[in-house]
Amino acid sequence: MAEMNNLMDRFFLRETTPRENEELAAWIEADEAHHKAFERAYDRFVLTQVLLGGSMAQELRKQRLRPVFRVVRWAAAVASIAAAITVGVIFGREHFARPLEHTLENTLLVSETQPGLRTTVYLSDGTRVDLNSGSRIEYPAIFYGKQRRVKVEGEAMFDVAKDPEHPFIVETFSYDVKVLGTVFDVVADEYRGEFSTALLEGSVQIQDKQETPVVRLDPNELVRLVDGKLVRTRMENHEAYLWTDGIVSVTGVPFDEVLQKLERAYGVKIEMRRSSIPEIHYSYLKFRISDGIEHAFRILQRRCDFTYYYEEASGVYYID
């Protein structure tokens, strides 16, 4: 059994030869217990990927370590399996490939970030997704069909793997974003009614829930939902999207929007009790998230007139 475990290990890592694939298929079909053993091995492989994430998986691969299975990035390990299953060539037996394909395409994974934290998720096609604080993405274990579709809540930065024959769709509560291969940021906050898409590279198309194109963006353009309508503007720089590097840039941002950025970055609640919005006097300002929100407030106080205090009972920062 140890030899077969090693074979399954290498199969999931795309290291087996066609002859070894046939041997594995014959072993699986010889006994129902073998079939179940293969499914359990696959489940453990998926779980390992989810728990370790892409960066840790790459490090383990580099060091040639083996937790349950040796792990490589999910995109490299499993995308080829999916493609081969689709055309029915891994095992050459449709009655086995069909149920496995059905299992893969109906397996949905969810990644969430806790308030004040960020994380990186790698999808099966090689797409990288950076999730901002308090955000969530739902995605299939393996992409099948004509589209690659994911669902996002909060804020996420996408670096989409190019595949013109399989458009990438980001679904949000408001509009959907359709791309072929590009780098862009999506904000989808249903509670605040906030939706925006900023294009850094490539090309994206904003479409409604009936898949009707509404707006097409070129690089360095931003579209935002304002009073129920999409408004397109030009981006002067990409500093607003430095959160992927642990930095919050508030250059040129009004005070009330600065508070929203701090809420998202640090996972806190901020309420403004004063009647007037402070005027900020600066031309360039950034905060490193790791320095903490108290540091951000102190730096901000040098540029505008306000006081703040933290109420421990409610867990809220109040601005006076």
Side-chain angles (χ1 to χ4, degrees), residues 218-264:
D218 292 322
N220 299 317
E221 286 189 330
L222 166 71
V223 66
R224 194 187 300 255
L225 186 63
V226 180
D227 297 328
K229 296 182 179 180
L230 291 177
V231 178
R232 182 169 57 183
T233 57
R234 188 78 181 167
M235 285 192 301
E236 297 301 325
N237 56 63
H238 297 171
E239 288 193 358
Y241 309 101
L242 292 176
W243 61 263
T244 57
D245 298 321
I247 296 173
V248 176
S249 174
V250 295
T251 301
V253 178
F255 189 82
D256 55 342
E257 290 188 24
V258 170
L259 298 186
Q260 292 180 15
K261 283 179 171 286
L262 295 181
E263 281 186 319
R264 176 169 289 142

Side-chain angles (χ1 to χ4, degrees), residues 123 125 127 143-150 160-171 177-182 184 203-205 207 211:
L123 308 185
D125 63 340
T127 291
F143 286 117
Y144 276 94
K146 297 180 179 179
Q147 296 181 341
R148 297 171 287 166
R149 181 175 289 270
V150 301
V160 178
K162 293 183 179 180
D163 185 355
E165 295 183 0
H166 300 89
F168 194 94
I169 309 293
V170 179
E171 182 181 342
V177 183
K178 179 180 180 180
V179 303
L180 297 180
T182 190
F184 63 100
S203 178
V204 301
Q205 177 178 281
Q207 59 188 32
E211 300 188 1

Side-chain angles (χ1 to χ4, degrees), residues 188-205:
D189 190 331
E190 187 172 8
Y191 177 76
R192 291 177 173 168
E194 183 181 0
F195 169 81
S196 68
T197 300
L199 180 63
L200 282 66
E201 299 176 13
S203 178
V204 301
Q205 177 178 281

Side-chain angles (χ1 to χ4, degrees), residues 59-101:
E59 186 63 26
L60 287 172
R61 176 65 166 175
K62 190 183 304 181
Q63 299 177 20
R64 308 300 293 179
L65 299 178
R66 299 182 73 228
V68 178
F69 292 98
R70 278 181 300 144
V71 186
V72 293
R73 183 167 141 179
W74 177 249
V78 184
S80 61
I81 298 175
I85 290 175
T86 302
V87 297
V89 298
I90 282 187
F91 301 115
R93 294 167 174 82
E94 292 186 1
H95 71 278
F96 177 76
R98 230 182 252 121
L100 181 55
E101 176 180 345

